[in-house]
């Protein structure tokens, strides 16, 4: 049986793209190698029965405000989010903390506890750039990227835009040094970058830091991240589409440089009358499934050079009998009820050094910890009165000299080290409070989802050469590929990794235009 479109990979981007096309009247088949849909949107009882742990994604920052949530009526399809009252809390070694708030006035007051001048600067930034970011942030994510020349021309028209252009060329540390005087304020806002995998001292990313200073949210998917994937699947099937699990794609079939179908691992051949769409990371999609011999040499070189060398995550999934109580709660009690608590050393220099250690294959011995308890806000993810905890420590994928297999030797000791670091901030989290623990080292992350090459959770480094118009490759950011009838829709496309379905949404729009489908969502 032939379908109009075959989507390879049932991660949330593939499902979103397929759902848009199915609701446009196309016949759509999604093929997934795993026995479940969702990709990184995976919730499992990783420790004890009844304790639901989010394995590869916790933060769905933009989904509830996105066109995807509205267009696909995800709430009607069982997807619901709750919002913690307080966003994130940065906790410092001296027992003080800085909590991030939605309300700019409340945020300025919090900053003023550390620096009156910095509070004034923050308020001025909100006045100068708040409206600009509100009006451009989501539209930039949910549309194909602009060529650099057009983006520059637009920014050149205003004083604020020209400042953004200069900040765009700087590092996050340079931007923060220019704007703020308090070390704690700088550490807090720099953490907004490091949690996304942006190196703190990388040129060309300072302007992103401004977005992170002024724009933040922390919605929790009720029932766990898997529920987003299940909701997207319901939308797809409601539009007549099919999601087939346990169906790994071995090869993309070509005829005269046109993709016309796929061959499954068991040898089954399936045809696509219009196009094949891949949600699988580029090296597997093009070098393996298509074959390098079928690609233009320059494009093949770009694919080979696509890199995932940034920081990875060393994760602990914990089932606990009570939530942590931080010493810093004496400074601001809201830190105990924030979406996450971040302990990222005491100075900007500490964060820079930790990233340098990670690049050298050394797991940091100082704290680069992020802690999240979704059960504080969604009790359905654990038995009554109990909680799940996700502990992230930023770490390298491979250890120096040993590579990723080196984690087998050190993982237990490093897990104990991370717990001791955490306890130094939350002393009530003694061993008896931890009912069970599952370690997920960076190599384990790849086993869960091999789209996250080298354990990089944003599906390829978010560096200036792999962002916007250059993601995944210069000249190929339109979700099309040099193989006719083969499109891209994964997190390796603009706007990048993370759970927001931007790439799936944008790819569907491009495909609908190319095949003259009704864009019912406009």
């Amino acid at each position: 049986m032939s379908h109009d479109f075959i989507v390879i990979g049932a991660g949330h981007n593939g499902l979103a793209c397929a759902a848009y096309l199915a609701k446009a009247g196309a016949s759509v088949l999604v093929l997934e190698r795993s026995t479940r849909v969702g990709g990184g949107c995976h919730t499992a009882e990783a420790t004890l029965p009844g304790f639901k742990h989010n394995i590869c994604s916790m933060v769905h920052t933009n989904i509830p405000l996105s066109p995807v949530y509205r267009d696909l009526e995800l709430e009607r399809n069982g997807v619901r989010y709750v919002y913690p009252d307080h966003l994130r809390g940065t906790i410092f070694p001296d027992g003080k903390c800085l909590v991030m708030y939605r309300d700019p006035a409340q945020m300025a007051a919090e900053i003023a506890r550390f620096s009156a001048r910095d509070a004034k600067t923050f308020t001025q930034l909100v006045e100068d750039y708040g409206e600009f970011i509100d009006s451009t942030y989501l539209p930039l994510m949910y549309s194909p990227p602009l060529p650099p020349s057009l983006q520059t021309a637009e920014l050149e028209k205003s004083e604020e835009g020209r400042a953004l252009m200069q900040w765009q060329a700087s590092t996050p540390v340079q931007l923060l040094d220019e704007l703020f005087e308090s070390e704690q304020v700088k550490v807090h806002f720099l953490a907004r970058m490091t949690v996304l995998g942006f190196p703190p001292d990388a040129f060309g990313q300072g302007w992103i830091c401004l977005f992170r200073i002024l724009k933040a949210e922390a919605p929790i998917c009720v029932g766990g991240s898997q529920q987003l994937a299940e909701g997207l699947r319901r939308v797809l099937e409601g539009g007549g589409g099919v999601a087939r699990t346990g169906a790994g794609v071995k090869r993309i079939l070509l005829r005269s440089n046109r993709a016309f179908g796929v061959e499954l691992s068991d040898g089954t051949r399936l045809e696509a009358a219009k196009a094949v769409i891949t949600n699988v990371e580029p090296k597997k999609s093009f070098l393996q499934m298509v074959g390098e011999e079928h690609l233009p040499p320059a494009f093949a070189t770009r694919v080979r050079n696509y890199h995932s060398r940034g920081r990875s995550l060393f994760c602990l999934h914990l089932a606990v009998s009570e939530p942590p109580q931080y010493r810093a709660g004496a400074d601001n009690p809201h830190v105990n009820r924030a979406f996450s608590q971040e302990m990222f050393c005491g100075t900007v220099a500490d964060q820079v050094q930790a990233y340098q250690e990670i690049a050298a294959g050394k797991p940091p011995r100082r704290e680069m910890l992020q802690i999240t308890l979704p059960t504080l806000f969604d009790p359905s993810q654990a038995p009554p009165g109990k909680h799940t905890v996700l502990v992230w420590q930023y770490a390298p994928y491979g250890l120096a000299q040993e590579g990723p297999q080196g984690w087998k030797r050190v993982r237990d000791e490093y897990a104990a080290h991370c717990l001791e670091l955490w306890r130094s901030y939350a002393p009530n989290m003694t061993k008896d409070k931890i009912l069970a623990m599952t370690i997920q080292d960076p190599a384990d992350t790849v086993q869960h989802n091999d789209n996250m090459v080298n354990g990089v959770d944003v599906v390829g480094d978010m560096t200036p050469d792999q962002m916007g118009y250059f993601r995944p490759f210069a000249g190929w950011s339109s979700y099309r590929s040099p193989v006719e009838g083969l499109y891209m829709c994964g997190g390796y496309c603009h706007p990048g990794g993370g759970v927001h379905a931007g790439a799936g949404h944008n790819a569907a729009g491009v495909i609908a235009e190319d095949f003259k489908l009704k864009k019912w969502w406009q």
Side-chain angles (χ1 to χ4, degrees), residues 434-454:
I434 298 176
L435 307 176
M437 176 176 75
T438 295
I439 300 172
Q440 180 182 330
D441 68 41
D444 293 328
T445 296
V446 179
Q447 294 299 312
H448 286 296
N449 188 336
D450 59 5
N451 254 10
M452 298 179 182
V453 175
N454 294 340

Side-chain angles (χ1 to χ4, degrees), residues 125-144:
L125 289 172
V126 172
E127 292 178 4
D128 290 344
Y129 293 100
E131 185 179 341
F132 168 80
I133 289 176
D134 284 342
S135 64
T136 60
Y137 186 72
L138 286 179
L140 283 173
M141 289 184 63
Y142 293 97
S143 60

Side-chain angles (χ1 to χ4, degrees), residues 260-277:
F260 72 91
V262 300
E263 180 182 334
L264 303 185
S265 301
D266 64 4
T268 301
R269 291 182 145 214
L270 300 169
E271 293 193 4
K274 296 185 184 298
V276 175
I277 307 157

Side-chain angles (χ1 to χ4, degrees), residues 91-93 342-346 350-351 354 364-369 393-394 417-418 421-422 424-425:
I91 304 177
F92 305 105
E342 291 150 7
M343 291 131 266
F344 278 12
C345 313
D350 288 339
Q351 284 195 49
R365 301 304 295 183
R366 67 190 70 201
E367 57 270 35
M368 289 290 284
L369 287 166
Q393 169 81 350
Y394 295 81
H417 171 70
C418 291
L421 286 175
W422 184 34
S424 70
Y425 291 87

Side-chain angles (χ1 to χ4, degrees), residues 79-94:
V79 182
R80 189 164 65 88
Y81 285 87
V82 292
Y83 286 79
D85 290 333
H86 315 301
L87 296 176
R88 304 168 189 269
T90 303
I91 304 177
F92 305 105
D94 64 359

